[in-house]
């Protein structure tokens, strides 16, 4: 087992990797290597760069971003979503059938960022990292302490899969790197097509109460 750096309110810590962080921030956060094959990773990078900025910086991601539903068009993205769904089932405390709602790619360049937001309405959100310069900014969780003002920074590396509950506020500080950071992200929801008799709002509330 190796160590990874994380930062809580400007204080650096070394945490065991693969990383499971729950006691520290009272939310289930998972960071682990996916070991995705090199050909798939290369194809994902090519597709993301080829699509360019299809959102015109209009979302919370103030960087080049593909369309929202890449997993419905490309097998490489679909493969990623299957891996993410499997991890969400492994760490969830509820036996709920899930499905991917959306999945997109993004390229961060110098001066670009993601502003603080949540993915409320989903159960799990995730990020997969294809290219990460050594001077990249961290992935920042916000408002997660007792007083709801604490920040928790994770420093992802290439081939890392980061999974977290969708209601956690998060952001990416402005990049000062001269190199690109390339990643894929997605959201996982309850599979309503297989769960017709479930009270979805009640399940969401139960998940929140269990984890925070």
């Amino acid at each position: 087992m190796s160590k990874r750096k994380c930062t809580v309110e400007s204080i650096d810590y070394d945490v065991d990797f693969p990383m499971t962080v729950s006691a520290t921030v009272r939310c289930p956060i998972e960071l682990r290597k996916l070991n995705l094959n090199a050909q798939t990773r290369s194809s994902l990078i090519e597709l993301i760069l080829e699509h360019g900025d299809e959102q015109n910086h209009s979302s919370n991601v103030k960087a080049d971003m593909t369309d929202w539903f890449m997993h419905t068009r490309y097998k490489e993205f679909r493969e990623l979503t299957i891996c993410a769904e499997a991890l969400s089932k492994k760490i969830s405390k509820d036996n709920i059938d899930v499905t991917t709602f959306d999945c997109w790619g993004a390229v961060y360049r110098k001066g670009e960022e993601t502003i603080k937001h949540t993915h409320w309405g989903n159960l799990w959100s995730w990020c997969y990292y294809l290219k990460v310069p050594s001077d990249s900014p961290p992935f920042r969780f916000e408002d997660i302490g007792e007083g709801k003002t604490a920040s928790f920074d994770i420093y992802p590396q290439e081939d890392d899969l980061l999974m977290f509950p969708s209601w956690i506020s998060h952001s990416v500080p402005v990049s000062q790197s001269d190199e690109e950071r390339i990643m894929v992200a997605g959201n996982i929801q309850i599979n309503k097509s297989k769960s017709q008799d479930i009270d979805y709002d009640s399940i969401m509330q139960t998940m929140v109460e269990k984890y925070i």
Side-chain angles (χ1 to χ4, degrees):
M1 184 175 288
S2 59
K3 297 286 186 180
R4 285 290 189 88
K5 173 186 172 183
C6 66
T7 305
V8 180
E9 290 296 290
S10 301
I11 301 175
D12 292 339
Y13 297 90
D14 287 328
V15 178
D16 288 337
F17 180 85
M19 186 186 298
T20 300
V21 185
S22 57
T24 306
V25 297
R26 304 181 65 212
C27 289
I29 296 169
E30 294 273 341
L31 182 70
R32 61 181 62 202
K33 285 291 181 190
L34 188 55
N35 296 316
L36 199 63
N37 70 73
Q39 183 176 350
T40 300
R41 291 164 63 183
S42 178
S43 294
L44 285 165
I45 291 173
E46 289 179 8
L47 286 166
I48 292 168
L49 291 174
E50 180 181 300
H51 276 256
D53 187 16
E54 295 177 314
Q55 304 295 336
N56 297 315
H57 285 49
S58 61
S59 75
N60 293 303
V61 178
K62 303 306 178 185
D64 283 8
M65 181 177 164
T66 69
D67 74 62
W68 294 103
F69 302 106
M70 298 290 280
H71 65 299
T72 66
R73 303 172 61 185
Y74 301 102
K75 62 180 179 60
E76 294 90 347
F77 283 86
R78 182 57 189 151
E79 181 179 344
L80 257 184
T81 64
I82 290 171
C83 293
E85 289 168 10
L87 178 58
S88 75
K89 292 176 182 178
K90 184 175 181 179
I91 63 177
S92 177
K93 298 179 182 179
D94 297 274
N95 185 22
I96 302 171
D97 192 64
V98 296
T99 187
T100 295
F101 174 67
D102 53 7
C103 177
W104 64 94
V107 182
Y108 292 83
R109 298 182 176 88
K110 191 170 187 177
E112 297 181 327
E113 64 181 323
T114 293
I115 60 177
K116 176 181 171 182
H117 67 289
T118 72
H119 293 276
W120 180 261
N122 300 286
L123 289 179
W124 298 99
S125 297
W126 56 271
C127 301
Y128 176 71
Y129 293 88
L130 292 159
K131 182 181 178 183
V132 185
S134 59
D135 56 348
S136 285
F139 185 98
R140 176 166 294 164
F141 295 103
E142 303 196 49
D143 303 335
I144 57 175
E146 293 290 343
K148 300 298 182 184
T149 58
S151 63
F152 180 78
D153 291 351
I154 287 178
Y155 299 82
Q157 298 180 13
E158 291 177 9
D159 193 42
D160 278 356
L161 178 65
L162 172 64
M163 176 83 64
F164 56 95
S166 299
W167 50 83
I168 303 179
S169 295
H170 56 280
S171 64
V172 177
V174 175
S175 175
Q176 301 300 327
S177 177
D178 291 323
E179 300 181 60
E180 297 172 333
R181 179 163 78 170
I182 305 176
M183 52 84 68
V184 181
N187 289 305
I188 296 171
Q189 295 185 346
I190 299 167
N191 189 349
K192 298 181 181 181
S193 67
K194 294 184 179 181
S195 308
Q196 299 298 326
D197 298 324
I198 288 180
D199 183 342
Y200 309 111
D201 291 337
S202 176
I203 287 177
M204 287 290 294
Q205 187 59 38
T206 298
M207 293 279 281
V208 172
E209 291 171 355
K210 281 186 177 181
Y211 290 129
I212 62 176

